[in-house]
Amino acid sequence: MSAEAGPRRVLIVGATSAIATEVARAYAERGASLFLAGRNPERLSNAAADLALRGAARVETAAFDVLAHESHGDLVTRAFAGGPVDVALLAHGALPDQARCQQSSGEAVDALAVNFTATVALLTLLANRFEAQRRGTIAVISSVAGDRGRQSNYVYGAAKGGLSVFLQGLRNRLHHSGVSVVTLKPGFVNTPMTSAMPKNRLFVTPRRAGRAIHRAIEARRDVAYIPWFWRPVMALITHLPERFFKRLRL
Amino acid sequence: MLANIAESVLATGCGRSYGDSCLNEGGALLDATGLDRFMGLDDAGVIRCEAGVMLGEILQVVVPRGWFLPVVPGTKWVTVGGAVANDIHGKNHHRAGSFGAHVTRFELYRSSGERLVCSPTENRELFAATIGGLGLTGLILWVEFRLQRIPGPGVAVERIRFANLAEFLAIAAEDPAHEYTVAWVDCLARGRSLGRGVYFRGSHAPLPGRVPPPSAPRFRIPFDAPGRLLNRATVSAFNAMQYRRGLRKRSKRTVPHEPFFFPLDAIGEWNRLYGARGFLQYQCVVPETQDGGVIRAILSRVASSRETPGLGVLKRFGPAASPGLLSFPRPGLTLAVDVAFRGRRTLDLLDQLDGLVRDAGGAVYPAKDARMSRESFRSFFPAWPAFARQVDPRFSSSFWRRVHVG
């Protein structure tokens, strides 16, 4: 944790997503200073007004497209302009249509671009900044879908699985500089991203997911399932023998 | 937005209305709780937020800044949209009027695709129809309203026991000197004790020491109680205990605002105490006569019936006119009572009470109703024809179909 006085400084990328909004509120209520990056300027400024009233010491926004890798450097420079960043949360992502990914290599590659490649590009810059300041926490929203490939969403799963492996390596590297890397693995969350999916009892509210993520980041957990019950569920799923698993329709 | 929904729609917030005004059987509900952003608060205490923000969240944000909601109901689990749609009232009605009286503007989404800002000067008819309009005029997107200044997060409360309705009326005469007043009433007391209870009155006050954080329920009722847990004998014993609690007739102290305004929020799912069949809530307002005549008749009818009335609440409404065409609050005495549901005979009792209220020129609160007849509705809300003209053609509710359509 930051030893200095003053509010915690938190950078959130993909800040207007439903889950990131709730994480941002948890930080705002505790008086943090927030730097929000997202695609839609109007939604960013709406979020900023909300978070300021909820108690954020300061809210800055930057309209930014994570797919435009050349803009990453500028974003990171701006976010660190006011001093060290205590927490960076990468919450951007998109759930592709698996059937369309199977029909179009373009769709499949696009899904990897937003969920994996862009994240890796941004993390490369962020990691060096955090390594240099020798403290702080990098938290990234991966997914339970990355724990095992399933026929219903393995392109998204591959992106998130690759991301989880990248984060393992990054955690190992940055541990020696006192920087934490938190891999967040949400299950089903009732958000605009999953609006087309039929809902069942495994779905949780963005608020519950967001509060759990905030706790996981502040506790500097290595890997956190969101909510916790996905850990035993995924332990079971990842341990099923492949020759049996391949016959399932999951 | 509504193009791919075939049936009628109705916005829903926390779903805390007791009856079918927040249901739309056979149709669709639009979950408005995702509209949960604050939009702004200026130095004059005018706040703007989306319609799904909960009153409890607003208090969390504004109380530390020295502001308070202009009107609060008995629970903080109410959305701003719901507060407007039911033109809610609170313990300060005698001074502040209803919630709608503090609303300066809101934006309404109509099924035509129009987004209309409504205020006392813009789209006036829709403004008046939407306040207290039970969500039938469209989807409320955001609401702007005035907060009140408070000296601190506490409430200085006075608790006074009263032996009967006459004593209640004598204490109620002192209401103007207090910001908040309400009375718990023993609905099983009869004869000379008819209308006995405990008066609570209070005003905002500084709270010495640390401000307690907003509370989650201290415990919840984990399952439906046996249907007969609450019966006339157990409620009567509870009421006697409640009435005699504390040895003195009067007591004063300063408490945090939450337990004063939202006592039931401390018990999660308290409704389960009534068992699987549940209860009906009945709230009426009747013009006041010298000796509280109609309320006396209603209390007497309830007490001498075979039904089991639980919590009873009595308050004198103030003279403020409510801004909505279908607003419930109006000058007079209001009584709210939970009645354990025992089938037809419970409905018969409430129908009899409706008759008393109609004869007196009063009204029953739609937010708490599941059974009033169409004739009663028209008598209670004489402005209904003007209201019906403002109803959005795609919006409906189970309540509305019961009292109006078809």
Side-chain angles (χ1 to χ4, degrees), chain A residues 65-192:
Chain A
D65 186 346
V66 78
L67 288 171
H69 298 181
E70 68 280 4
S71 68
H72 290 182
D74 189 41
L75 178 82
V76 172
T77 305
R78 278 189 60 191
F80 282 78
V85 172
D86 296 293
V87 175
L89 170 65
L90 304 194
H92 64 275
L95 185 65
D97 182 309
Q98 173 67 25
R100 291 202 353 233
C101 288
Q102 289 169 205
Q103 297 308 313
S104 148
S105 56
E107 289 271 348
V109 170
D110 285 351
L112 295 179
V114 64
N115 291 304
F116 179 69
T117 315
T119 316
V120 167
L122 187 53
L123 279 170
T124 303
L125 302 185
L126 281 174
N128 294 339
R129 285 285 192 154
F130 275 89
E131 191 172 42
Q133 71 180 24
R134 299 191 65 79
R135 65 183 184 84
T137 302
I138 298 174
V140 184
I141 299 189
S142 181
S143 171
V144 294
D147 281 10
R148 188 155 199 180
R150 297 178 297 128
Q151 67 175 10
S152 59
N153 72 342
Y154 61 84
V155 175
Y156 179 72
K160 291 299 195 180
L163 185 56
S164 293
V165 172
F166 182 92
L167 293 169
Q168 278 176 348
L170 188 64
R171 179 181 306 116
N172 188 197
R173 169 187 154 199
L174 294 183
H175 174 74
H176 305 288
S177 311
V179 175
S180 305
V181 174
V182 180
T183 306
L184 301 157
K185 295 185 177 178
F188 297 123
V189 185
N190 191 352
T191 66

Side-chain angles (χ1 to χ4, degrees), chain B residues 47-48 102-107 117-120 122 127 142-145:
Chain B
I47 190 168
R48 184 138 73 102
H102 305 272
V103 171
T104 48
R105 291 193 295 166
F106 54 78
E107 188 174 26
V117 174
C118 306
S119 74
E122 309 153 86
F127 185 76
W142 55 260
V143 182
E144 183 187 86
F145 59 98

Side-chain angles (χ1 to χ4, degrees), chain B residues 321-334:
Chain B
S322 299
L325 291 177
L326 244 52
S327 289
F328 165 74
R330 57 199 78 183
L333 291 177
T334 183

